[in-house]
Amino acid sequence: MHEAYEASPLLKLTVQIESIAAYDDNLLIGTRQGHLLMYNVPPKSNEKQELELLRYRKNFSKKPILQIEVVPEYNLLILLTDNIICVHDLNSASIPQICQLQKTRGATLFVLDVQRTQSLTGEKNTVVRLCVAVKRKLQLYYWKVDQFIDFGDELVVPDVPRVLSWCGETLVLGFRGLSYILLDLNGTTKELFPTGKSPEPGITKLSDSSFALGKDSQSILMNTKGELVQHNSVKWADSPIATAWDDPFLMGIINDTLEVYTLEGCLQMQTIRELNKARLLYRCKQGLVYVASVGQVWCVNAVEVTQQIRTLLELNQFQLALKLTNLSDVTEEEKAKKTYKIQTLYAHHLFANKKFSESMEQFLKLGTDPYEVIRLFPDLVSQPTNANETNEPVTVIPTLQDRDLEQGLLALIKFLIEVRHKLMGDTKTKEKGSENFFEKDPLKAEKSKNMTAIATEQLLKIIDTTLLKCYLQTNDALVAPLLRLNHCHLAESEKTLLKYQKYPELIILYQTKGQHKKALELLEKQSSESDSSLKGTERTIQYLQHLGQDHMDLILKFSGWVLEQDPEQGLRIFMEDVQEVEHLPRPKVLDYLLRCHKDLVITYLEHVVHFWVDTTPLFHDVLIHQYKEKCVTGLSPNATPAEKQNVQHIRQKLQQFLEKSTHYTPETVLVHLPFDCLFEERAIILGRLGRHAQAISIYVNLLNDVPRAIQYCNNVYAKYESQKNSEKSKQQDGADEVYVTLIKQLLKPTNEGIWTTGTVTENQRIAQPDLETALELLEEHAAKINPLKALEILPDNVPISRIKHFLETSLQNNLNERRTTQVLKGLLYAEHLQVQEQRMHHESQSVLMTEFNICPVCKKRFGNQSAFARYANGDIVHYSCQERKS
């Protein structure tokens, strides 16, 4: 059993002790014969305490001194004798009486309330209040200028109180054989509970808001609101004769013994025996209590706090050790260190008893270094280190298995997440002077103030790596979210994930750590494993898609095996609708595909040109070149059936692209076209270059496709007509005479525009003159053909009747154009005359400027050299003021 106190006999008297009181090193004794004795009790330095009798008043009172109280600040001795309250001066050797409270005659009991306060300037102030029980009435007084003054009305109670205590603004009363009541200073009462089988009530003040009430052999803890402070009550061996509170212990005299209890847990800590017939108990100060019988006094001293704490820690009484530490007289700094050490031992004790959640909560409150907590789980620490050793006793770490291990890891996870959150918050707000997580640990507080960003990063590495190991053993679904935003140690985490064969999570780790090469090598290796979740190319494609242009070399290196294994899906690496993919350097991608995967170039370029609408001429030129090569291959005698079957589709796409695209380079494309095939494509390109005669020659003489030539002319002339007049005047490619060119080819076929390689193909021949088609064109497009140029190329033997419609239409068009021109000329001349008339009108107006003219804007006169502006309404202002005129 813990020994909190040591009792020693102090003195024996021949007179009968009726009451005792003490302050500082002084002990006052009131006797049944009316004597008053005052002793000096020096601190106990050896086995024997030698008392000094300071004052002895033999005839101090004619009646027994029933109650004594002292107010040292005012040197007041207040006592109850002969049923009246007397106040004496302790400052004088004779202890003279200051006053008697005559209104208190018939008093049976009194209680003091002494409130000691300190102002902001350091000035100490003491307020003394007195409550006296006179039969069934309570009288209230306060001390002021050498006297007690009434305050408030007398309070009437149901019976004569046997015990009385003053807690804050509440009076607690106990009645013999009845119950306890609470009474505030306004007279409001609240009944609590009966005193029990024992007729004598007992009240022990614990603080200004709490107290202990005796009921039979129990002490029930309550507050001034009438509520239980705690459900457990102190259970004595018997009903105590007297009780006293010496924080953190509650004492009671029972059958010649002094029992000592704690309030937390209501545990009996000590029993001090051989206190023969003890009946009075008085607490002088912290750790010093006096016990008295009728003729003897004992001094009860607290054992040295350091020794008590050591014993309490051995008994695992951590809360009690903490209270004693807080009550000790050491410096605040030393107190904080001891408190931290005890709380840490308590947390380790909880862990050793497998109370993991409570232990981690304690570690969190203490701000314990997370690595010290992690070391409680040896399997989570790769190797021991001396970096965080302390002087604390080594905790016996229990062997955790199965359910206990899981519960421990879950508690550790909660702890680490909270610490991580605090560390991240401290990192963000460190510049604002926020409290650091470790400032709660006085041993590390100074060190942590200078905690660098590197040290924080290292600690986060330890935390996240440990969380990874914990998740793998408890809930591996949380591994991936942790790794996406992590500070894990790469090598340790890599080793752990490989141990558990968590390859997808390992990929995430590599990705977040920038180890893309390792990730891609692992993906390539796992793609061929039949039982792997990373089997196939999909995960590699997704990984490569999000690397971005900064890792272009890696993308090209590892996309090779994907494109070989699954070309269609693999091409998504360069074509997906993903921001990183869209911003890849397309010339590099094109060069790579041309070198290594030529069959995929057309698909890639079609996506770039049509989906991404890239207008770079390079891509358009290369796409045309790829189309051209496919067509040439399909048209060659050695082509496979599949190539021959596909050539028509490719040619169609090539022709449509040549017609619609405006971003390729016609000259470059034309140079690379073959001379023995792809004549339609050559005609389209020649038309784009404005070489209409050559294009028409190909349609008429080489392809023998006059309708196609006519359609070509229609398209060219329609485009010409849609242009503005200014653009028409600049155009020099002969688009306005395209029909004349076609008629000329029909009437006088030539080989102009036919390019060969030196060999004559079977299609290459000169067409026969086609007068009928030419005349039909003249009639159908008479308004679009220059009559003079058409007549120049027509044969002389053509009858006038055949070209009558053409001539009439041409003449009518010319007449219409002439009339339109004449009307326009007249309108322009009329407009010219109007402008001249307006000019003459404005020039005829004059402005008279004198030295009296004032600018309406700035209110100043016009100087000789002033420039001015005149508005339509006649206002004249300075030139510089015209913008300010509203």
Side-chain angles (χ1 to χ4, degrees):
M1 186 176 288
H2 173 60
E3 291 189 1
Y5 295 92
E6 295 176 342
S8 58
L10 195 60
L11 67 111
K12 289 185 178 180
L13 298 175
T14 56
V15 292
Q16 293 176 315
I17 300 173
E18 187 67 30
S19 58
I20 61 173
Y23 69 97
D24 298 335
D25 294 331
N26 301 309
L27 172 65
L28 290 95
I29 299 175
T31 69
R32 196 168 295 174
Q33 292 80 12
H35 302 170
L36 180 67
L37 296 85
M38 183 174 179
Y39 291 90
N40 176 257
V41 184
K44 184 177 180 181
S45 57
N46 48 41
E47 292 297 326
K48 187 176 181 181
Q49 283 182 297
E50 295 183 359
L51 303 184
E52 178 185 359
L53 181 61
L54 297 178
R55 298 168 193 173
Y56 177 40
R57 294 288 307 278
K58 188 173 182 180
N59 297 318
F60 192 74
S61 174
K62 297 179 181 180
K63 298 287 184 175
I65 301 174
L66 301 177
Q67 192 176 349
I68 302 176
E69 290 293 345
V70 179
V71 183
E73 289 83 359
Y74 296 129
N75 293 307
L76 296 181
L77 172 64
I78 305 168
L79 52 85
L80 173 61
T81 181
D82 196 16
N83 298 114
I84 192 171
I85 301 298
C86 301
V87 183
H88 294 260
D89 184 7
L90 271 178
N91 200 30
S92 176
S94 61
I95 316 179
Q97 186 180 78
I98 298 174
C99 64
Q100 271 189 351
L101 303 182
Q102 294 299 327
K103 285 179 62 176
T104 64
R105 188 166 298 280
T108 56
L109 185 65
F110 76 89
V111 64
L112 283 181
D113 176 49
V114 182
Q115 299 290 338
R116 298 174 175 88
T117 58
Q118 185 171 349
S119 65
L120 296 176
T121 59
E123 181 181 354
K124 295 182 179 180
N125 186 33
T126 303
V127 177
V128 181
R129 296 189 293 183
L130 172 68
C131 177
V132 183
V134 181
K135 296 183 181 179
R136 293 175 56 192
K137 294 182 180 180
L138 300 181
Q139 300 176 3
L140 303 177
Y141 302 90
Y142 70 95
W143 179 259
K144 184 177 181 180
V145 192
D146 298 334
Q147 63 176 330
F148 275 108
I149 302 174
D150 294 353
F151 80 92
D153 298 330
E154 289 184 346
L155 303 175
V156 180
V157 294
D159 199 355
V160 179
R162 298 288 291 180
V163 286
L164 181 61
S165 182
W166 197 325
C167 297
E169 300 301 312
T170 303
L171 294 168
V172 188
L173 294 84
F175 302 95
R176 180 182 177 88
L178 295 176
S179 60
Y180 297 99
I181 67 169
L182 299 180
L183 180 64
D184 64 22
L185 301 184
N186 295 323
T188 305
T189 62
K190 182 176 182 178
E191 187 173 353
L192 298 180
F193 52 82
T195 57
K197 297 178 181 178
S198 174
E200 292 296 333
I203 302 174
T204 308
K205 180 180 178 179
L206 305 178
S207 69
D208 283 342
S209 60
S210 60
F211 46 87
L213 301 180
K215 182 178 181 181
D216 297 332
S217 60
Q218 301 180 60
S219 286
I220 299 172
L221 309 180
M222 304 193 73
N223 59 24
T224 51
K225 295 180 181 179
E227 302 168 345
L228 288 175
V229 175
Q230 63 183 43
H231 292 288
N232 295 338
S233 59
V234 177
K235 296 180 173 59
W236 309 92
D238 199 352
S239 297
I241 300 173
T243 56
W245 169 246
D246 184 39
D247 197 8
F249 300 109
L250 185 62
M251 303 175 173
I253 298 175
I254 301 171
N255 301 328
D256 298 340
T257 64
L258 181 65
E259 293 186 1
V260 181
Y261 282 79
T262 63
L263 296 187
E264 284 208 20
C266 298
L267 301 175
Q268 183 177 358
M269 301 302 297
Q270 187 180 6
T271 300
I272 301 175
R273 305 183 184 281
E274 299 179 358
L275 301 178
N276 188 28
K277 296 183 179 179
R279 67 185 189 89
L280 299 176
L281 191 58
Y282 193 93
R283 176 185 178 274
C284 175
K285 57 186 177 181
Q286 182 66 42
L288 177 59
V289 178
Y290 291 103
V291 179
S293 64
V294 175
Q296 188 174 359
V297 179
W298 292 268
C299 180
V300 179
N301 286 288
V303 175
E304 184 181 3
V305 172
T306 305
Q307 181 180 340
Q308 280 199 69
I309 292 174
R310 191 182 304 116
T311 305
L312 288 170
L313 292 179
E314 292 173 359
L315 297 172
N316 295 328
Q317 295 289 335
F318 300 100
Q319 298 300 328
L320 194 55
L322 283 174
K323 284 193 174 182
L324 287 176
T325 302
N326 292 329
L327 294 170
S328 61
D329 296 330
V330 297
T331 62
E332 290 299 322
E333 182 179 356
E334 187 66 24
K335 190 180 294 185
K337 289 181 179 179
K338 288 185 177 181
T339 300
Y340 179 82
K341 181 178 179 181
I342 294 170
Q343 289 175 327
T344 302
L345 289 173
Y346 177 53
H348 283 276
H349 170 73
L350 291 171
F351 185 88
N353 286 274
K354 300 181 180 179
K355 297 180 179 179
F356 304 113
S357 296
E358 295 91 333
S359 174
M360 295 302 162
E361 287 177 6
Q362 190 69 16
F363 282 130
L364 192 62
K365 291 177 182 177
L366 293 172
T368 306
D369 187 343
Y371 186 71
E372 293 181 15
V373 180
I374 296 170
R375 287 172 62 189
L376 297 174
F377 299 83
D379 294 340
L380 298 179
V381 183
S382 56
Q383 58 183 6
T385 177
N386 296 326
N388 294 306
E389 285 188 353
T390 64
N391 296 324
E392 299 170 6
V394 179
T395 304
V396 178
I397 301 175
T399 303
L400 303 179
Q401 294 178 347
D402 303 331
R403 182 67 176 172
D404 289 337
L405 178 60
E406 182 181 358
Q407 293 297 324
L409 291 175
L410 290 174
L412 178 63
I413 288 171
K414 185 177 179 181
F415 167 79
L416 292 177
I417 289 175
E418 190 65 29
V419 173
R420 189 181 192 277
H421 177 71
K422 289 180 180 291
L423 278 175
M424 296 298 288
D426 289 340
T427 303
K428 293 177 182 177
T429 59
K430 203 164 188 178
E431 295 180 357
K432 300 179 182 178
S434 62
E435 179 186 357
N436 189 280
F437 175 70
F438 295 108
E439 286 181 4
K440 298 174 183 177
D441 179 356
L443 301 175
K444 303 181 181 68
E446 190 64 31
K447 181 179 177 181
S448 67
K449 288 178 182 177
N450 301 319
M451 192 172 183
T452 63
I454 297 176
T456 303
E457 179 65 25
Q458 291 298 321
L459 187 55
L460 286 171
K461 274 188 179 181
I462 294 173
I463 291 173
D464 282 9
T465 306
T466 306
L467 279 173
L468 173 65
K469 295 177 180 180
C470 293
Y471 287 154
L472 286 170
Q473 297 182 61
T474 56
N475 186 359
D476 56 6
L478 298 173
V479 172
L482 170 69
L483 291 173
R484 287 190 178 93
L485 294 172
N486 77 91
H487 297 81
C488 293
H489 187 274
L490 177 60
E492 187 69 20
S493 301
E494 180 182 29
K495 176 182 174 183
T496 305
L497 290 169
L498 285 172
K499 175 184 175 183
Y500 286 89
Q501 297 184 349
K502 295 291 183 180
Y503 299 117
E505 289 79 5
L506 184 55
I507 296 299
I508 297 174
L509 174 68
Y510 286 146
Q511 189 173 19
T512 55
K513 294 298 182 182
Q515 300 293 317
H516 303 300
K517 186 176 180 181
K518 279 189 173 184
L520 291 166
E521 288 173 347
L522 178 61
L523 284 169
E524 184 177 1
K525 181 180 178 182
Q526 290 293 312
S527 67
S528 57
E529 298 291 334
S530 59
D531 58 343
S532 174
S533 60
L534 300 175
K535 181 183 178 183
T537 61
E538 181 60 29
R539 188 66 180 85
T540 304
I541 292 171
Q542 293 177 4
Y543 196 100
L544 291 172
Q545 284 175 340
H546 291 89
L547 276 182
Q549 58 183 344
D550 293 339
H551 302 89
M552 194 63 200
D553 293 339
L554 277 178
I555 294 174
L556 297 179
K557 178 180 178 181
F558 286 95
S559 62
W561 73 268
V562 180
L563 291 170
E564 290 174 4
Q565 187 171 330
D566 191 349
E568 183 178 349
Q569 292 297 318
L571 202 54
R572 290 167 46 211
I573 298 170
F574 307 110
M575 291 169 43
E576 196 80 355
D577 188 17
V578 176
Q579 185 177 3
E580 291 85 353
V581 174
E582 193 170 347
H583 288 86
L584 289 177
R586 295 168 191 172
K588 278 191 176 182
V589 176
L590 177 59
D591 178 67
Y592 169 74
L593 293 176
L594 285 170
R595 286 186 290 103
C596 304
H597 303 279
K598 198 170 182 179
D599 291 342
L600 303 176
V601 172
I602 289 179
T603 307
Y604 173 70
L605 286 176
E606 286 178 343
H607 186 84
V608 170
V609 171
H610 299 311
F611 186 79
W612 284 336
V613 197
D614 195 320
T615 59
T616 305
L618 171 66
F619 302 131
H620 291 251
D621 290 349
V622 175
L623 180 57
I624 292 172
H625 181 72
Q626 294 299 311
Y627 283 150
K628 182 260 298 182
E629 286 194 346
K630 287 280 185 182
C631 293
V632 171
T633 303
L635 293 172
S636 67
N638 300 325
T640 63
E643 290 175 336
K644 290 180 179 179
Q645 184 179 1
N646 194 41
V647 68
Q648 190 61 34
H649 175 65
I650 296 296
R651 284 197 70 182
Q652 186 178 359
K653 290 206 294 185
L654 173 58
Q655 292 173 14
Q656 289 177 352
F657 189 72
L658 287 171
E659 290 175 351
K660 292 181 179 179
S661 175
T662 59
H663 302 290
Y664 65 89
T665 313
E667 297 85 350
T668 304
V669 175
L670 185 62
V671 170
H672 292 92
L673 277 180
F675 296 104
D676 57 348
C677 61
L678 304 182
F679 301 117
E680 293 91 336
E681 290 78 1
R682 180 179 291 276
I684 295 171
I685 297 172
L686 288 170
R688 179 63 60 84
L689 290 171
R691 292 154 66 174
H692 304 300
Q694 295 177 1
I696 291 171
S697 178
I698 290 175
Y699 285 124
V700 174
N701 299 318
L702 191 58
L703 298 177
N704 298 320
D705 192 349
V706 176
R708 184 79 175 270
I710 296 173
Q711 182 61 42
Y712 174 82
C713 292
N714 293 338
N715 294 338
V716 171
Y717 198 86
K719 185 177 180 182
Y720 168 77
E721 282 190 324
S722 65
Q723 294 176 343
K724 298 178 180 178
N725 292 330
S726 59
E727 294 177 351
K728 288 180 181 179
S729 62
K730 294 178 182 178
Q731 192 162 341
Q732 299 178 355
D733 60 358
D736 56 333
E737 298 179 2
V738 66
Y739 288 105
V740 176
T741 305
L742 176 56
I743 293 172
K744 183 178 180 181
Q745 281 292 332
L746 290 173
L747 296 176
K748 298 177 181 180
T750 64
N751 61 354
E752 182 183 0
I754 301 176
W755 301 84
T756 65
T757 59
T759 59
V760 180
T761 65
E762 60 181 6
N763 292 330
Q764 184 176 340
R765 62 181 179 79
I766 302 302
Q768 297 300 316
D770 189 352
L771 179 60
E772 290 299 322
T773 304
L775 293 175
E776 289 176 3
L777 281 173
L778 282 175
E779 289 187 4
E780 185 176 353
H781 302 285
K784 305 174 184 176
I785 298 173
N786 188 323
L788 294 177
K789 292 186 178 182
L791 292 174
E792 286 178 0
I793 62 176
L794 283 175
D796 296 337
N797 58 356
V798 175
I800 293 294
S801 60
R802 293 296 306 273
I803 60 173
K804 177 183 177 183
H805 175 71
F806 167 70
L807 293 174
E808 289 176 350
T809 303
S810 297
L811 287 172
Q812 186 64 43
N813 286 339
N814 286 334
L815 288 172
N816 292 341
E817 186 176 349
R818 180 180 178 182
R819 289 169 184 162
T820 301
T821 304
Q822 289 175 342
V823 171
L824 181 60
K825 180 181 177 182
L827 291 173
L828 288 173
Y829 182 71
E831 185 181 11
H832 171 72
L833 293 178
Q834 290 178 358
V835 171
Q836 293 300 321
E837 184 181 358
Q838 290 178 4
R839 178 181 64 80
M840 293 169 64
H841 170 70
H842 289 300
E843 287 179 350
S844 66
Q845 295 182 358
S846 62
V847 176
L848 178 63
M849 298 292 294
T850 68
E851 59 182 356
F852 301 106
N853 287 87
I854 296 176
C855 175
V857 177
C858 64
K859 309 302 181 184
K860 295 181 180 178
R861 298 181 184 277
F862 292 92
N864 293 332
Q865 304 300 325
S866 296
F868 61 89
R870 179 182 181 277
Y871 285 87
N873 62 357
D875 289 345
I876 300 173
V877 299
H878 286 105
Y879 186 79
S880 59
C881 297
Q882 61 176 327
E883 293 182 356
R884 290 185 287 164
K885 180 174 173 61
S886 58

